[in-house]
Amino acid sequence: MRRKILLVEDDVLMREFITDYFKKEQWDVYEAENGRIALELFEQISVDLVVLDIMMPELDGFSVCRRIRKQSDVPVIIITARSDDEDHMLGFELGADEYVTKPLSPRVLVARATALMRRSEGTVGRDDDLLVYGDLVVNRPAHSAAVAGTQISLSPKEYELLLFLTKHYGKVLAREYILNAVWGYDYLGDVRTVDTHIKKLRAKLGQEGRYICTVIRSGYKFELEP
């Protein structure tokens, strides 16, 4: 099945250049020249990936990413001419999965997009009741988890956190994003709560498997230990 990408870029030549590379790799490309058109297309078409420029007329990329994340976990790659760390962190906090700085190579962008889709589609096996990655099995009806057949003792919040991390395997997740998703926007605690619970998860999963939460700047990425 051909993958569908929403490419949001106001530079016509750059957009056409990137589109050509994706089409050569058998992607269906839907183009938008600004944030407003991007959101209109996103409502109409079920896409597998969004590649999103930051500096655009009418509605910037951060605003588009924020609105997309309110309704979807579709993978998002942000591209920008700015290399400011604050911009990068804002993108990750809004839920972006990758960040590519211009000048960029369309070939590298396609390779990153393909790798991101493989993580999104293939690393977590799904059925009605289970989430599976490698030898980790999360049983949703039972609110339990096992590694290599060994049951892991988890508190209710540890289970919720593990479920969330597993669903977002390989993605960079800001502490604030994790806190809001697992504890809720009205939670009165701070981001150190996330650090405490992830430390406990690391200890419990480390007893049976090779799953870790790598610290990425102000966030985490759940993955297999290299």
Side-chain angles (χ1 to χ4, degrees):
M1 182 180 298
R2 292 169 66 97
R3 296 186 178 111
K4 298 178 182 179
I5 178 176
L6 174 58
L7 173 61
V8 191
E9 167 64 66
D10 64 320
D11 186 310
V12 177
L13 293 179
M14 176 63 71
R15 192 170 68 244
E16 291 178 350
F17 195 31
I18 294 173
T19 294
D20 287 343
Y21 269 84
F22 274 99
K23 286 185 174 179
K24 287 178 183 178
E25 297 299 321
Q26 307 302 307
W27 290 67
D28 290 331
V29 183
Y30 299 87
E31 300 178 41
E33 63 188 37
N34 60 53
R36 177 184 57 79
I37 294 175
L39 290 175
E40 291 175 356
L41 286 174
F42 189 79
E43 292 289 340
Q44 299 168 12
I45 304 165
S46 177
V47 297
D48 301 298
L49 175 70
V50 177
V51 174
L52 179 62
D53 190 20
I54 291 299
M55 303 299 292
M56 292 186 298
E58 297 196 36
L59 197 65
D60 65 44
F62 290 135
S63 298
V64 174
C65 185
R66 183 182 291 109
R67 295 192 188 184
I68 286 175
R69 275 293 169 261
K70 287 183 178 180
Q71 58 183 298
S72 174
D73 282 332
V74 64
V76 175
I77 297 177
I78 285 180
I79 55 176
T80 182
R82 304 190 304 193
S83 58
D84 193 325
D85 282 350
E86 292 300 318
D87 283 350
H88 286 218
M89 284 314 306
L90 178 57
F92 287 134
E93 288 168 4
L94 292 174
D97 301 284
E98 291 277 1
Y99 213 110
V100 179
T101 304
K102 295 178 181 178
L104 59 83
S105 162
R107 182 177 298 176
V108 171
L109 177 60
V110 172
R112 288 196 179 189
T114 301
L116 179 57
M117 291 307 304
R118 285 173 178 165
R119 294 202 303 266
S120 177
E121 296 170 348
T123 55
V124 179
R126 299 171 183 263
D127 61 24
D128 290 340
D129 297 327
L130 304 177
L131 286 174
V132 181
Y133 179 77
D135 55 5
L136 171 65
V137 178
V138 180
N139 187 319
R140 287 183 284 188
H143 284 231
S144 65
V147 176
T150 300
Q151 199 78 8
I152 306 298
S153 176
L154 300 173
S155 70
K157 191 56 68 176
E158 288 169 353
Y159 166 78
E160 290 181 40
L161 177 59
L162 178 61
L163 179 63
F164 181 76
L165 293 172
T166 305
K167 286 182 176 179
H168 296 80
Y169 180 89
K171 296 181 180 180
V172 176
L173 304 170
R175 286 177 172 85
E176 291 81 1
Y177 185 62
I178 298 173
L179 187 71
N180 291 335
V182 178
W183 278 265
Y185 286 94
D186 57 349
Y187 179 69
L188 298 179
D190 59 31
V191 294
R192 287 176 294 183
T193 299
V194 176
D195 297 333
T196 299
H197 280 75
I198 284 184
K199 182 178 180 180
K200 292 178 180 178
L201 271 183
R202 277 174 166 164
K204 292 182 178 182
L205 294 178
Q207 293 173 6
E208 302 295 342
R210 296 182 297 114
Y211 297 91
I212 59 172
C213 285
T214 304
V215 178
I216 305 294
R217 294 186 180 178
S218 67
Y220 288 101
K221 181 167 70 171
F222 183 67
E223 59 187 348
L224 272 172
E225 189 176 33

